[in-house]
């Protein structure tokens, strides 16, 4: 068994969609990034790749590669899932946290879990996603950005 940890952060800006966990969340700002900037899926991918010893998403999907401009992170997650299978790994579980002052994530968490389970072809019961604020502190508390952390177990 192997454990992996992932972290991602993106700046909130006007003129972008807010996509977290593959869910388009209605909000006045979105996350800035080369792809869709889905912090949750990026943290999950880095946890999975790290546990498998397969580097990180920057190596597999560099932001200098135009093929990944605006790409859905669900597609990138599917690629990571295939890499894990090719290397003989099975996902035991994933636990992740989204850190954002606003908007509230609770209404979207079940759909996020379903998206991750569907793409990785695992049971939704093997995925836990939570959300928290930072009580107005730091860049997430001041609504300058959103971050996510993830940990996983691979067999």
């Amino acid at each position: 068994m192997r454990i992996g940890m992932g972290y991602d952060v993106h700046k909130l800006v006007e003129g972008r969609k807010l996509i977290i966990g593959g869910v388009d969340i209605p909000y006045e700002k979105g996350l800035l990034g080369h792809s869709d900037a889905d912090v949750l899926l990026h943290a999950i991918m880095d946890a999975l790749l790290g546990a498998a010893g397969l580097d990180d998403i920057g190596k597999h999907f560099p932001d200098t590669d135009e093929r990944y401009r605006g790409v859905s992170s669900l597609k990138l997650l599917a690629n990571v899932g295939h890499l894990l299978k090719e290397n003989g790994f099975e996902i035991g579980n994933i636990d992740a946290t989204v850190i954002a002052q606003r908007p509230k994530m609770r209404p979207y968490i079940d759909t996020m879990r379903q998206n991750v389970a569907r793409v990785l072809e695992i049971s939704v019961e093997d995925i836990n996603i939570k959300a928290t604020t930072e009580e107005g502190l730091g860049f997430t508390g001041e609504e300058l950005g959103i971050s996510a952390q993830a940990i996983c177990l691979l067999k």
Side-chain angles (χ1 to χ4, degrees), residues 2-70:
R2 297 173 63 120
I3 297 170
M5 186 281 260
Y7 173 80
D8 195 40
V9 60
H10 285 275
K11 180 179 180 177
L12 279 165
V13 296
E14 293 182 3
R16 293 266 306 190
K17 288 184 175 188
L18 179 60
I19 300 171
I20 300 180
V23 178
D24 189 343
I25 298 172
Y27 193 59
E28 64 263 16
K29 293 181 179 179
L31 295 170
L32 182 63
H34 185 70
S35 66
D36 62 5
D38 189 325
V39 291
L40 175 60
L41 296 186
H42 292 185
I44 289 172
M45 286 186 279
D46 267 344
L48 294 167
L49 289 167
L54 296 172
D55 296 306
D56 61 20
I57 62 173
K59 178 181 179 191
H60 292 278
F61 316 110
D63 63 6
T64 55
D65 190 330
E66 286 302 308
R67 291 179 297 169
Y68 305 119
R69 181 173 299 282

